Each structure stands twice: as C-alpha cells, then as structure tokens.
Amino acid sequence: MKWRRIKKENSKQPDKGTYTDWKDQLADEGYNQCVYCAIHEGGFGRRNYHVEHYRPKSCTEFKHLENDITNLFFACCICNSFKSDFWEDPSDKLDNSAFPDPSKINYSLLFELLSDAKLRGKNVAGSFLVEKLNLNRPQLMVERKLVSLLDRMETGIQSVSKLKKALIEKVKETGEERALELLSKLVDSYGSLNLAQLEIRKSIPYTTADTKR
Ligand SMILES: [Zn+2]
C-alpha cells in the first residue's frame, strides 16, 4: 500500500456526463486505489469506491467544482464517509489539521508505517488524517500486514533463487545433481507459499464492523 501523487495535470475534463459517470477515469488516474488510505480496489471491489469531491460540493464556495475533474478523486467509501464535507485550507508545510491536495502532495510524506502495521503521522496533517479517517482500522491493518508478508515472501524467494543459480554453477563443476534437485524443490515450495499468500489476500472478507471505529 503506497501513496502516490495524483497527476491531475494529465487529467482530461470529460466533455459529457457528470461526476457520477467518471468513476472509471478517476480509478485509472488514482492507480486503482483509495486516494486517502491507499487500499487497492482489488482487495475491496470498485463498488465500494466513491467519487470524492476534494473540495466538498456541499460548501457553497465550491459548488462550481462539483463536475470539475481536477477536484475529483477515487476514494473508498469508508474514507469518503469519514471525511464527509470537512474542509480546512491546507498548508504547504503540512502543519495544520487539513487534507493536503492529493494532486500536489504525495501522501507518503504524511505517514510513517510502524512495525506493527499501524500508521503514525509524520506531521500535523498526517496525524490529523490518521485520526479523522481512522487509518488504523482493522481492515487496513489486515491489508498492511498481508502486504508486508508478501514482501517478505518475495525477498525470500529472490534469495533462494540466487542460491539456486549459484548451486547450478557448482553442480556443473562437481556433478552433485541430487543437491540441485533438493534445492529446486525448496524453490518450488517458496513459490507455492507466495501464491497461497496472494490467494489469502484476495479472499479476506470484510464486514461492516470493520468500517466502524
Ligand atoms: Zn480509503
């Protein structure tokens, strides 16, 4: 789960329809993940994502931005509902309780990932978002732990693959084919575990309880 700046400078204002019709475009622009918590739609489902008005359409001063593509983002329904119609002008220094503009700030500048899969704010804006959006909710903790496990698996597999390569060279020199056979089995086992982790990640069921504080 990695945050990325949304490149609105490349965004094309659709010439027909209204914001409700543009979710697919916003998903593409937003790397198919929630702009705020970074959960990928692959683990949650596109139906659980909303078109988020960064500057709330309920504020009279932003009413004219209701169908302005530069004000629209792809956000999960939970973050979207926690944010609701909150608005406070953000500071470029990230030193106030406001939502930085996701098209200007990479949100990875806001958060530090701790070893227990919790997020901690790196600055005032980050701490505010962790609290406001409940970014340590169970659903996200599970997702982060799984991503971390997958990363560790991948590192392990790469390490074993390197060993295998080195052993192949050795076997060529010494003819110890049994050793190569054993190591090949080990590599296959790592591969199976990695696939299993991917399957687990896809099949985690989320319940409505997870969306509550
Ligand atoms: Zn979210």
Side-chain angles (χ1 to χ4, degrees):
M1 297 170 79
K2 291 187 177 118
W3 291 264
R4 299 167 76 174
R5 186 180 71 81
I6 312 299
K7 296 174 182 165
K8 283 293 180 186
E9 64 273 22
N10 299 335
S11 186
K12 189 176 174 293
Q13 175 72 36
D15 50 17
K16 58 183 173 186
T18 58
Y19 71 88
T20 51
D21 304 313
W22 307 335
K23 191 150 93 166
D24 290 349
Q25 177 180 334
L26 295 168
D28 288 345
E29 287 178 5
Y31 309 97
N32 303 94
Q33 63 183 36
C34 174
V35 66
Y36 298 126
C37 71
I39 189 171
H40 194 276
E41 66 170 343
F44 201 23
R46 186 167 292 190
R47 71 185 182 286
N48 291 313
Y49 286 74
H50 290 170
V51 172
E52 145 74 354
H53 288 78
Y54 170 63
R55 289 178 171 80
K57 62 182 186 304
S58 57
C59 296
T60 318
E61 60 182 311
F62 300 134
K63 190 71 186 159
H64 64 291
L65 298 175
E66 183 169 353
N67 293 300
D68 184 328
I69 199 79
T70 61
N71 188 45
L72 305 176
F73 294 88
F74 190 61
C76 80
C77 57
I78 303 171
C79 288
N80 191 246
S81 88
F82 281 143
K83 176 172 174 278
S84 188
D85 56 359
F86 175 88
W87 180 254
E88 180 72 40
D89 275 322
S91 149
D92 290 344
K93 293 178 185 157
L94 307 175
D95 58 357
N96 70 339
S97 296
F99 284 74
D101 186 337
S103 69
K104 293 188 177 136
I105 298 287
N106 182 330
Y107 269 41
S108 60
L109 295 172
L110 301 178
F111 311 118
E112 177 186 1
L113 180 61
L114 305 178
S115 57
D116 61 0
K118 282 192 174 169
L119 280 191
R120 183 163 65 195
K122 281 184 184 173
N123 37 54
V124 176
S127 301
F128 168 70
L129 259 68
V130 168
E131 175 61 26
K132 179 77 177 164
L133 300 177
N134 193 19
L135 291 178
N136 288 318
R137 57 190 187 249
Q139 172 206 29
L140 297 175
M141 296 283 288
V142 167
E143 193 75 15
R144 284 184 211 126
K145 281 176 186 166
L146 283 171
V147 168
S148 162
L149 280 171
L150 287 168
D151 287 349
R152 278 165 56 195
M153 287 299 301
E154 197 176 318
T155 304
I157 286 167
Q158 282 172 0
S159 164
V160 173
S161 294
K162 274 184 194 163
L163 284 172
K164 184 185 174 187
K165 209 172 173 182
L167 195 68
I168 287 171
E169 292 305 314
K170 197 74 186 164
V171 165
K172 279 181 187 165
E173 289 171 29
T174 63
E176 290 177 38
E177 290 182 15
R178 176 69 182 146
L180 177 61
E181 193 185 316
L182 287 173
L183 196 60
S184 293
K185 282 183 181 171
L186 185 63
V187 172
D188 289 346
S189 299
Y190 267 94
S192 304
L193 284 170
N194 200 29
L195 282 175
Q197 291 285 359
L198 283 167
E199 287 299 316
I200 291 167
R201 191 175 173 207
K202 281 184 198 161
S203 63
I204 294 287
Y206 297 120
T207 66
T208 49
D210 288 340
T211 68
K212 292 178 184 161
R213 280 179 188 269

